[in-house]
Amino acid sequence: MVGDESSSTEYQRLSAQFEGAAAEDVVAWAVERFGRRLSLVCSFQNCVLIDLVTRVDPKVEVIFLDTGAHFPETMTYVERVETQYQLKLRVITPDADADAWPCGSERCCELRKTAPLERALEGQGAWMTGLKRADSEARAATPIVEWDDAKGLVKVNPIATWSHDDVSHYEADRKLPIHPLFRKGYLSIGCSPTTRPVSKLEDRRAGRWSGTDKTECGLHL
Ligand code: SF4
């Protein structure tokens, strides 16, 4: 399939077929369909998708966007997971022009996340993410497979239908390493200047860009 309106419809149909399918089956389809032209983009809040994907293909490329503003605990977690899974990890860093836009400023996410990711995905056929419908209202309609027009790639979200409990149960069953900040109330973890822990009464993503109108960094818009 190529990137036109008809292929977009085809992926909508495929996504509907995957409703109710096991996440492993979605991953297996993506690996079979795209081979080495598939990248998993991971924020390393947890390693559920890494565990799922590497069980199907241990050599899949994993991309981590190192914005330069992550918590030290996130960087330690990346190293731990990389070692545990012997990941084929590609760490992407921003260009020097990001220096003029400090954390939280207007172009910070663009220069530290969206633009570097677009460069990293050049030549690929698909990218895979850990987006879930349960994450937020803005993500409530996340398809399992879609044509990502902005990037000119297929986007695969194998755990789109999972609840937060599904994630916790999978982590417990598979004895996965947990991000050290998760138990301290950081239920959604991004860059340190724009992330705070949340109370039990708050939405999980309430601690991201708290006090501003922003709810997404732009990677998934
Ligand atoms: S999440 Fe915050 S600190 Fe990170 S790149 Fe975006 S604005 Fe900058």
Side-chain angles (χ1 to χ4, degrees):
M1 292 179 208
V2 289
D4 57 19
E5 207 173 305
S6 62
S7 65
S8 175
T9 308
E10 280 302 307
Y11 288 116
Q12 280 172 16
R13 212 172 287 141
L14 188 59
S15 190
Q17 285 171 13
F18 277 134
E19 291 288 334
E24 289 88 340
D25 292 343
V26 179
V27 171
W29 168 82
V31 167
E32 164 82 20
R33 171 74 179 79
F34 297 102
R36 291 288 161 258
R37 295 180 65 238
L38 172 70
S39 297
L40 162 57
V41 179
C42 186
S43 64
F44 284 84
Q45 297 183 58
N46 64 51
C47 61
V48 165
L49 195 54
I50 285 176
D51 189 81
L52 268 165
V53 172
T54 54
R55 288 166 79 188
V56 177
D57 178 5
K59 291 292 169 208
V60 77
E61 177 184 72
V62 179
I63 291 177
F64 172 62
L65 297 170
D66 181 0
T67 61
H70 286 294
F71 290 99
E73 289 89 341
T74 299
M75 303 310 287
T76 305
Y77 186 67
V78 171
E79 276 178 35
R80 181 178 174 191
V81 174
E82 179 188 14
T83 303
Q84 178 165 330
Y85 288 90
Q86 293 292 294
L87 289 182
K88 188 181 163 198
L89 180 68
R90 188 147 67 109
V91 178
I92 306 295
T93 52
D95 284 348
D97 53 354
D99 294 347
W101 296 89
C103 295
S105 64
E106 193 187 339
R107 296 190 64 203
C108 185
C109 281
E110 173 202 335
L111 295 172
R112 288 186 170 79
K113 287 187 170 180
T114 52
L117 180 62
E118 271 172 33
R119 290 195 292 273
L121 291 175
E122 267 171 31
Q124 291 298 76
W127 66 306
M128 195 152 34
T129 86
L131 284 188
K132 299 192 305 302
R133 293 171 191 167
D135 287 336
S136 66
E137 267 182 48
R139 298 181 179 180
T142 300
I144 298 168
V145 185
E146 65 184 313
W147 173 252
D148 183 342
D149 216 22
K151 293 189 178 53
L153 295 171
V154 175
K155 185 174 180 182
V156 186
N157 309 303
I159 58 170
T161 61
W162 284 28
S163 66
H164 298 302
D165 281 350
D166 290 334
V167 170
S168 300
H169 291 147
Y170 186 92
E171 288 176 325
D173 287 350
R174 298 277 303 156
K175 299 184 173 53
L176 301 190
I178 304 298
H179 192 299
L181 291 179
F182 184 79
R183 292 196 178 96
K184 295 182 178 173
Y186 291 80
L187 303 190
S188 176
I189 305 168
C191 296
S192 59
T194 49
T195 304
R196 65 161 174 81
V198 293
S199 75
K200 287 196 174 113
L201 298 175
E202 285 182 300
D203 185 87
R204 284 186 167 233
R205 283 177 65 83
R208 305 289 296 279
W209 305 286
S210 183
T212 75
D213 290 342
K214 189 169 168 132
T215 56
E216 293 280 350
C217 62
L219 292 181
H220 303 295
L221 297 177

